[in-house]
Amino acid sequence: MYIGDWMERGERYWPERVAVVDVARGDAGRFTYRALNERADRLATWLRDQVGVGVGDRVGLLAHNGVEYLDALFACGKLGAILVPYNWREHWRELAERIAQTRPRALIFDPEFKEAVAEALSACPEVQHTLELGEAPEEALLAGSRGYERALASRPRERVAREDVDPEDIVCLLFTGGTTGRPKGARVSLRMIAWNTLNTILHELARGDVTITHTPMFHTGGLLVYTLPLLTLGGTVVIMRRWTADEMLALVERERVTVMFCVPTQYQLMMESPRFPGASFASVRFLTSGGAPLPVPVIEAYRARHGVAFKQGFGMTEFGPGIFSMNPEDADARAGSVGRPNYFVDARIIGDDGRALGPGEVGELVVRGPSMSSGYFGVHEDPRGAADEGGWFHTGDLARCDADGFYYIVDRAKDMFISGGENVYPVEVEAALYRHPAVALCAVVGVPDPRWGEVGVAYVVKKTGLVASADVDEEGLIAHCREHLARYKVPKAIRVRASLPTTPAGKILKRALADEARGEGSAT
């Protein structure tokens, strides 16, 4: 049986347990499972009665992280509708394109984005119903909008539930990160959520766990890594509207967080915070890293200062997102590995000819299992559309597997470049740069070169604050790389920057750096 109404079950089993802490709301931001279910019922009633939202209809959402994401997700689940969270960093023309692509019956939005919404809706007049978050007076709302909290309060508490639920019913559309090319909306089904939740609970979570959700909730990292699995287990989710290193460290201690996920960039920025040495991680069972390989010096720094273990993982919007998991006791000995496939996931490494490769050989990572998405909205309507004939999903990542079944992501296939006939994996070069005591962040991209075909350009951010910053210049960093890498892997140029561009999920935006490097011409 598949459950479309999570919060009805949450209220049934843990009515007075705290489900969500919405940090931006202060003391009013603590919601029990009962309260969360009531909000979902009221929103579902409003969408049904005022808009006519039903099975298969889309409901758009443009907002910073907040309890409203969960209101909307659970309300849509009660109605059989589909939540479509949009990326608030996009230009209004891109937003209009997403709206035209997904055709929502209603749009819920944060007043911070009122101007962009007005522009986008002028190009998409078919969207007739909008809810503006907050409690602003009617005269301050976007023309034609209703105030969100007043709309919820206007509906009587009525139990809303859909009796007939199919495992292939789509719950939400999550757009791929958009770091390369046009974002596509992955179709996330009840089946996908159920199996990912089971995998996550088996490998990661325990009753009573507390996590922080700070990754934008329009991404899989925000909604599905720990948030929904933990709310299925009766845990507590602390929601940050905007991430800062200082607030993250304070919340870990204040809310007695037990597990949390960050990308490596964020763990590095927390290390740079003045709060880091005195922060308490006493409640933390483990930290999880994903999105990119975690530099070994970061693992060592957290263990030395706070005695906390890391679990490197790996996932993606179209699958899971939980694909691999690492036990904390293996984190040190297997540093650099993403672990082994989750319980209900198969994985293998294949060559260009599709042949399965042996231990140590580098090839494309392909995965198979019931937590795969149902293709892309408007592209693959067949649930098997995202996989090949054998049911394998092709990740586009280059990886290897050791003799004990631990997997290592070598690089994204698109990030690898060939210099003088040799494959260069930027992740390997970045790992060498992170060994330098003054390097806080770095990214390596390949650019055309008339002699070698392609060469590497490295972008570096120096450490500041508590960590004494050594003298960092291009010559010194290149010399450092020569001590750790084969000559053809050494970057031909290094640019020191105050910061690096990142996606909303906190990943370094290599495409922007590659465009910059190519625009500068020769790297030598």
Short mmCIF file of all heavy atoms in Angstrom, two decimals, residues 1-42:
data_model
loop_
_atom_site.label_atom_id
_atom_site.label_comp_id
_atom_site.label_asym_id
_atom_site.label_seq_id
_atom_site.Cartn_x
_atom_site.Cartn_y
_atom_site.Cartn_z
N MET A 1 0.85 -1.19 0.00
CA MET A 1 0.00 0.00 0.00
C MET A 1 0.88 1.24 0.00
O MET A 1 1.89 1.30 0.69
CB MET A 1 -0.90 0.01 1.23
CG MET A 1 -1.84 1.21 1.29
SD MET A 1 -2.93 1.14 2.73
CE MET A 1 -1.74 1.44 4.03
N TYR A 2 0.49 2.23 -0.78
CA TYR A 2 1.22 3.50 -0.82
C TYR A 2 0.39 4.58 -0.15
O TYR A 2 -0.83 4.65 -0.32
CB TYR A 2 1.54 3.88 -2.27
CG TYR A 2 2.64 3.02 -2.83
CD1 TYR A 2 2.36 1.77 -3.36
CD2 TYR A 2 3.96 3.44 -2.81
CE1 TYR A 2 3.37 0.97 -3.86
CE2 TYR A 2 4.98 2.65 -3.31
CZ TYR A 2 4.68 1.41 -3.84
OH TYR A 2 5.69 0.62 -4.33
N ILE A 3 1.04 5.42 0.60
CA ILE A 3 0.36 6.44 1.39
C ILE A 3 0.47 7.78 0.68
O ILE A 3 1.57 8.27 0.41
CB ILE A 3 0.98 6.56 2.80
CG1 ILE A 3 0.99 5.19 3.48
CG2 ILE A 3 0.24 7.59 3.63
CD1 ILE A 3 -0.37 4.55 3.63
N GLY A 4 -0.67 8.41 0.38
CA GLY A 4 -0.64 9.73 -0.21
C GLY A 4 -0.81 10.83 0.81
O GLY A 4 -0.63 12.00 0.50
N ASP A 5 -1.16 10.47 2.05
CA ASP A 5 -1.45 11.46 3.09
C ASP A 5 -0.54 11.22 4.29
O ASP A 5 -0.92 10.60 5.28
CB ASP A 5 -2.93 11.35 3.49
CG ASP A 5 -3.37 12.50 4.39
OD1 ASP A 5 -2.50 13.29 4.80
OD2 ASP A 5 -4.56 12.58 4.69
N TRP A 6 0.68 11.76 4.20
CA TRP A 6 1.66 11.51 5.26
C TRP A 6 1.23 12.08 6.59
O TRP A 6 1.37 11.45 7.63
CB TRP A 6 3.02 12.14 4.88
CG TRP A 6 3.77 11.44 3.83
CD1 TRP A 6 4.66 10.42 3.99
CD2 TRP A 6 3.71 11.70 2.43
NE1 TRP A 6 5.17 10.03 2.78
CE2 TRP A 6 4.61 10.81 1.79
CE3 TRP A 6 3.01 12.60 1.64
CZ2 TRP A 6 4.80 10.80 0.42
CZ3 TRP A 6 3.20 12.59 0.26
CH2 TRP A 6 4.08 11.69 -0.32
N MET A 7 0.74 13.30 6.57
CA MET A 7 0.49 13.97 7.84
C MET A 7 -0.73 13.41 8.58
O MET A 7 -0.82 13.53 9.79
CB MET A 7 0.34 15.47 7.64
CG MET A 7 1.67 16.17 7.55
SD MET A 7 2.77 15.88 8.97
CE MET A 7 3.90 14.65 8.31
N GLU A 8 -1.67 12.78 7.87
CA GLU A 8 -2.74 12.09 8.59
C GLU A 8 -2.14 10.99 9.44
O GLU A 8 -2.52 10.79 10.60
CB GLU A 8 -3.77 11.52 7.61
CG GLU A 8 -5.01 10.93 8.27
CD GLU A 8 -4.80 9.53 8.82
OE1 GLU A 8 -4.00 8.77 8.23
OE2 GLU A 8 -5.42 9.19 9.86
N ARG A 9 -1.16 10.26 8.87
CA ARG A 9 -0.47 9.21 9.64
C ARG A 9 0.38 9.84 10.74
O ARG A 9 0.45 9.32 11.85
CB ARG A 9 0.40 8.35 8.72
CG ARG A 9 -0.37 7.63 7.62
CD ARG A 9 -1.40 6.68 8.20
NE ARG A 9 -2.26 6.11 7.18
CZ ARG A 9 -2.14 4.88 6.69
NH1 ARG A 9 -1.21 4.08 7.14
NH2 ARG A 9 -2.99 4.46 5.78
N GLY A 10 1.02 10.96 10.45
CA GLY A 10 1.83 11.62 11.46
C GLY A 10 1.02 12.05 12.65
O GLY A 10 1.41 11.85 13.80
N GLU A 11 -0.16 12.64 12.38
CA GLU A 11 -1.03 13.05 13.48
C GLU A 11 -1.58 11.84 14.22
O GLU A 11 -1.75 11.87 15.44
CB GLU A 11 -2.19 13.90 12.96
CG GLU A 11 -3.10 14.38 14.07
CD GLU A 11 -4.24 15.25 13.59
OE1 GLU A 11 -4.36 15.48 12.37
OE2 GLU A 11 -5.03 15.71 14.45
N ARG A 12 -1.82 10.78 13.50
CA ARG A 12 -2.37 9.57 14.14
C ARG A 12 -1.37 8.98 15.13
O ARG A 12 -1.74 8.57 16.23
CB ARG A 12 -2.70 8.53 13.07
CG ARG A 12 -3.36 7.28 13.61
CD ARG A 12 -3.45 6.18 12.57
NE ARG A 12 -4.15 6.57 11.34
CZ ARG A 12 -4.35 5.73 10.32
NH1 ARG A 12 -3.91 4.47 10.41
NH2 ARG A 12 -4.97 6.14 9.24
N TYR A 13 -0.09 8.93 14.76
CA TYR A 13 0.89 8.23 15.59
C TYR A 13 1.65 9.15 16.55
O TYR A 13 2.03 8.72 17.64
CB TYR A 13 1.89 7.50 14.70
CG TYR A 13 1.26 6.44 13.83
CD1 TYR A 13 1.46 6.42 12.45
CD2 TYR A 13 0.46 5.46 14.39
CE1 TYR A 13 0.89 5.45 11.65
CE2 TYR A 13 -0.13 4.49 13.60
CZ TYR A 13 0.09 4.48 12.22
OH TYR A 13 -0.50 3.53 11.44
N TRP A 14 1.93 10.41 16.17
CA TRP A 14 2.75 11.29 17.01
C TRP A 14 2.12 12.68 17.08
O TRP A 14 2.78 13.67 16.74
CB TRP A 14 4.17 11.39 16.44
CG TRP A 14 4.76 10.08 16.07
CD1 TRP A 14 5.18 9.09 16.91
CD2 TRP A 14 5.00 9.58 14.74
NE1 TRP A 14 5.67 8.02 16.20
CE2 TRP A 14 5.57 8.29 14.86
CE3 TRP A 14 4.80 10.10 13.46
CZ2 TRP A 14 5.93 7.53 13.76
CZ3 TRP A 14 5.15 9.34 12.36
CH2 TRP A 14 5.70 8.06 12.51
N PRO A 15 0.89 12.82 17.51
CA PRO A 15 0.17 14.10 17.38
C PRO A 15 0.87 15.29 18.04
O PRO A 15 0.89 16.39 17.47
CB PRO A 15 -1.19 13.82 18.01
CG PRO A 15 -0.98 12.60 18.87
CD PRO A 15 0.06 11.79 18.18
N GLU A 16 1.46 15.10 19.21
CA GLU A 16 2.02 16.23 19.94
C GLU A 16 3.54 16.33 19.82
O GLU A 16 4.15 17.20 20.44
CB GLU A 16 1.62 16.15 21.42
CG GLU A 16 0.10 16.13 21.65
CD GLU A 16 -0.60 17.28 20.94
OE1 GLU A 16 -0.04 18.39 20.88
OE2 GLU A 16 -1.73 17.06 20.44
N ARG A 17 4.13 15.45 19.05
CA ARG A 17 5.57 15.54 18.84
C ARG A 17 5.87 16.69 17.87
O ARG A 17 5.12 16.92 16.92
CB ARG A 17 6.10 14.21 18.28
CG ARG A 17 7.61 14.15 18.17
CD ARG A 17 8.07 12.76 17.77
NE ARG A 17 7.73 11.76 18.79
CZ ARG A 17 7.92 10.47 18.64
NH1 ARG A 17 8.43 9.98 17.52
NH2 ARG A 17 7.60 9.63 19.61
N VAL A 18 6.97 17.41 18.10
CA VAL A 18 7.34 18.51 17.20
C VAL A 18 7.82 17.94 15.88
O VAL A 18 8.77 17.16 15.83
CB VAL A 18 8.42 19.41 17.83
CG1 VAL A 18 8.89 20.46 16.82
CG2 VAL A 18 7.89 20.08 19.08
N ALA A 19 7.14 18.33 14.80
CA ALA A 19 7.50 17.85 13.47
C ALA A 19 8.44 18.83 12.78
O ALA A 19 9.41 18.42 12.15
CB ALA A 19 6.24 17.65 12.62
N VAL A 20 8.14 20.13 12.89
CA VAL A 20 8.87 21.14 12.14
C VAL A 20 9.18 22.33 13.04
O VAL A 20 8.34 22.76 13.83
CB VAL A 20 8.05 21.62 10.91
CG1 VAL A 20 8.65 22.88 10.29
CG2 VAL A 20 7.95 20.51 9.88
N VAL A 21 10.40 22.84 12.89
CA VAL A 21 10.78 24.12 13.50
C VAL A 21 11.16 25.04 12.35
O VAL A 21 12.18 24.85 11.69
CB VAL A 21 11.97 23.96 14.47
CG1 VAL A 21 12.38 25.31 15.05
CG2 VAL A 21 11.65 22.96 15.57
N ASP A 22 10.30 26.03 12.07
CA ASP A 22 10.57 27.02 11.03
C ASP A 22 11.29 28.19 11.70
O ASP A 22 10.67 29.04 12.33
CB ASP A 22 9.25 27.46 10.39
CG ASP A 22 9.46 28.34 9.16
OD1 ASP A 22 10.54 28.95 9.04
OD2 ASP A 22 8.54 28.42 8.32
N VAL A 23 12.61 28.22 11.56
CA VAL A 23 13.44 29.14 12.32
C VAL A 23 13.05 30.60 12.08
O VAL A 23 13.02 31.42 13.01
CB VAL A 23 14.93 28.92 11.97
CG1 VAL A 23 15.81 29.95 12.66
CG2 VAL A 23 15.35 27.50 12.37
N ALA A 24 12.70 30.95 10.85
CA ALA A 24 12.39 32.34 10.52
C ALA A 24 11.16 32.85 11.24
O ALA A 24 10.98 34.07 11.40
CB ALA A 24 12.20 32.48 9.01
N ARG A 25 10.28 31.97 11.72
CA ARG A 25 9.06 32.38 12.41
C ARG A 25 9.26 32.56 13.91
O ARG A 25 8.31 32.90 14.63
CB ARG A 25 7.96 31.34 12.18
CG ARG A 25 7.40 31.33 10.77
CD ARG A 25 6.46 30.17 10.57
NE ARG A 25 5.77 30.21 9.30
CZ ARG A 25 4.48 30.51 9.13
NH1 ARG A 25 3.73 30.79 10.17
NH2 ARG A 25 3.93 30.52 7.93
N GLY A 26 10.45 32.32 14.41
CA GLY A 26 10.70 32.51 15.83
C GLY A 26 9.93 31.54 16.69
O GLY A 26 9.76 30.36 16.33
N ASP A 27 9.40 32.03 17.82
CA ASP A 27 8.69 31.15 18.76
C ASP A 27 7.42 30.55 18.15
O ASP A 27 6.95 29.50 18.60
CB ASP A 27 8.32 31.93 20.03
CG ASP A 27 9.54 32.32 20.84
OD1 ASP A 27 10.60 31.68 20.66
OD2 ASP A 27 9.45 33.27 21.65
N ALA A 28 6.86 31.22 17.14
CA ALA A 28 5.64 30.72 16.50
C ALA A 28 5.92 29.66 15.44
O ALA A 28 5.00 29.17 14.80
CB ALA A 28 4.87 31.88 15.86
N GLY A 29 7.17 29.32 15.28
CA GLY A 29 7.55 28.43 14.19
C GLY A 29 7.68 26.97 14.56
O GLY A 29 8.22 26.19 13.78
N ARG A 30 7.20 26.57 15.74
CA ARG A 30 7.26 25.17 16.16
C ARG A 30 5.90 24.52 15.91
O ARG A 30 4.89 24.94 16.49
CB ARG A 30 7.68 25.04 17.62
CG ARG A 30 8.98 25.78 17.93
CD ARG A 30 9.43 25.53 19.36
NE ARG A 30 10.21 24.31 19.46
CZ ARG A 30 11.52 24.23 19.20
NH1 ARG A 30 12.19 25.29 18.81
NH2 ARG A 30 12.15 23.08 19.32
N PHE A 31 5.88 23.50 15.06
CA PHE A 31 4.64 22.87 14.64
C PHE A 31 4.65 21.38 14.99
O PHE A 31 5.59 20.66 14.62
CB PHE A 31 4.43 23.01 13.13
CG PHE A 31 4.33 24.44 12.67
CD1 PHE A 31 5.45 25.13 12.25
CD2 PHE A 31 3.11 25.09 12.68
CE1 PHE A 31 5.37 26.44 11.83
CE2 PHE A 31 3.01 26.41 12.25
CZ PHE A 31 4.14 27.09 11.83
N THR A 32 3.63 20.94 15.71
CA THR A 32 3.49 19.52 15.98
C THR A 32 2.96 18.81 14.73
O THR A 32 2.52 19.45 13.76
CB THR A 32 2.50 19.28 17.13
OG1 THR A 32 1.19 19.75 16.71
CG2 THR A 32 2.93 20.00 18.40
N TYR A 33 2.95 17.48 14.79
CA TYR A 33 2.37 16.72 13.68
C TYR A 33 0.89 17.03 13.52
O TYR A 33 0.37 17.09 12.39
CB TYR A 33 2.60 15.22 13.88
CG TYR A 33 3.99 14.78 13.47
CD1 TYR A 33 5.06 14.87 14.35
CD2 TYR A 33 4.23 14.29 12.20
CE1 TYR A 33 6.34 14.49 13.97
CE2 TYR A 33 5.50 13.89 11.80
CZ TYR A 33 6.55 14.00 12.69
OH TYR A 33 7.81 13.62 12.29
N ARG A 34 0.19 17.24 14.63
CA ARG A 34 -1.22 17.60 14.55
C ARG A 34 -1.40 18.94 13.83
O ARG A 34 -2.24 19.09 12.94
CB ARG A 34 -1.83 17.67 15.95
CG ARG A 34 -3.35 17.88 15.93
CD ARG A 34 -3.89 18.22 17.32
NE ARG A 34 -3.54 17.23 18.32
CZ ARG A 34 -4.18 16.06 18.48
NH1 ARG A 34 -5.17 15.73 17.67
NH2 ARG A 34 -3.79 15.23 19.44
N ALA A 35 -0.60 19.93 14.23
CA ALA A 35 -0.71 21.26 13.63
C ALA A 35 -0.34 21.23 12.15
O ALA A 35 -0.97 21.90 11.32
CB ALA A 35 0.18 22.24 14.38
N LEU A 36 0.68 20.45 11.80
CA LEU A 36 1.11 20.37 10.40
C LEU A 36 0.02 19.73 9.55
O LEU A 36 -0.25 20.17 8.42
CB LEU A 36 2.41 19.58 10.31
CG LEU A 36 3.30 19.85 9.09
CD1 LEU A 36 3.70 21.31 9.03
CD2 LEU A 36 4.54 18.97 9.14
N ASN A 37 -0.64 18.72 10.08
CA ASN A 37 -1.72 18.08 9.33
C ASN A 37 -2.91 19.02 9.18
O ASN A 37 -3.57 19.05 8.13
CB ASN A 37 -2.15 16.78 10.01
CG ASN A 37 -3.08 15.96 9.14
OD1 ASN A 37 -2.91 15.90 7.92
ND2 ASN A 37 -4.05 15.31 9.75
N GLU A 38 -3.19 19.79 10.21
CA GLU A 38 -4.30 20.74 10.12
C GLU A 38 -4.03 21.78 9.04
O GLU A 38 -4.92 22.13 8.25
CB GLU A 38 -4.54 21.42 11.46
CG GLU A 38 -5.68 22.43 11.40
CD GLU A 38 -6.00 23.04 12.74
OE1 GLU A 38 -5.48 22.55 13.77
OE2 GLU A 38 -6.77 24.02 12.76
N ARG A 39 -2.81 22.28 8.97
CA ARG A 39 -2.47 23.26 7.93
C ARG A 39 -2.62 22.64 6.54
O ARG A 39 -3.13 23.27 5.61
CB ARG A 39 -1.03 23.77 8.14
CG ARG A 39 -0.87 24.67 9.35
CD ARG A 39 0.60 25.04 9.56
NE ARG A 39 1.12 25.86 8.46
CZ ARG A 39 1.03 27.17 8.38
NH1 ARG A 39 0.43 27.86 9.35
NH2 ARG A 39 1.55 27.84 7.36
N ALA A 40 -2.18 21.40 6.39
CA ALA A 40 -2.30 20.74 5.09
C ALA A 40 -3.77 20.54 4.72
O ALA A 40 -4.16 20.72 3.55
CB ALA A 40 -1.57 19.40 5.11
N ASP A 41 -4.61 20.15 5.69
CA ASP A 41 -6.04 19.99 5.42
C ASP A 41 -6.67 21.30 4.98
O ASP A 41 -7.48 21.34 4.04
CB ASP A 41 -6.76 19.48 6.67
CG ASP A 41 -6.68 17.96 6.82
OD1 ASP A 41 -6.59 17.26 5.80
OD2 ASP A 41 -6.72 17.47 7.97
N ARG A 42 -6.34 22.39 5.69
CA ARG A 42 -6.93 23.69 5.35
C ARG A 42 -6.51 24.15 3.96
O ARG A 42 -7.33 24.67 3.18
CB ARG A 42 -6.55 24.73 6.41
CG ARG A 42 -7.21 24.51 7.76
CD ARG A 42 -6.81 25.61 8.74
NE ARG A 42 -7.37 25.37 10.06
CZ ARG A 42 -8.60 25.72 10.44
NH1 ARG A 42 -9.41 26.32 9.57
NH2 ARG A 42 -9.02 25.48 11.68
#
